[in-house]
């Protein structure tokens, strides 16, 4: 029975460590999207053309 308590405690500690690492990485910009804005400018003209087509129809 003591092994169950030990494993439960260890698993909760590991989960807390991973949660703290996740929060730390989000705050430091690890998951920021740096690729899409550079590609979006290539397709801006197509979006404007599509909007003009839908408004004229």
């Amino acid at each position: 029975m003591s092994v169950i308590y030990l494993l439960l405690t260890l698993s909760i500690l590991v989960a807390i460590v991973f949660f703290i690492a996740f929060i730390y990485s989000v705050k430091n910009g690890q998951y920021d999207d740096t690729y899409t804005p550079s590609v979006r400018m290539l397709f801006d003209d197509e979006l404007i053309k599509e909007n003009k087509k839908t408004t004229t129809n």
Side-chain angles (χ1 to χ4, degrees):
M1 192 68 171
S2 64
V3 173
I4 293 174
Y5 293 132
L6 177 68
L7 290 176
L8 186 62
T9 305
L10 287 176
S11 65
I12 289 173
L13 288 175
V14 168
I16 290 171
V17 168
F18 278 113
F19 182 70
I20 291 171
F22 173 73
I23 296 298
Y24 178 77
S25 65
V26 167
K27 286 189 177 188
N28 286 333
Q30 180 72 29
Y31 293 108
D32 287 346
D33 187 14
T34 58
Y35 178 71
T36 302
S38 63
V39 175
R40 189 181 309 143
M41 65 181 243
L42 299 174
F43 298 108
D44 279 344
D45 293 335
E46 294 176 11
L47 293 174
I48 292 171
K49 289 177 186 176
E50 288 178 10
N51 287 339
K52 286 183 181 179
K53 287 179 184 178
T54 57
T55 57
T56 57
N57 289 338

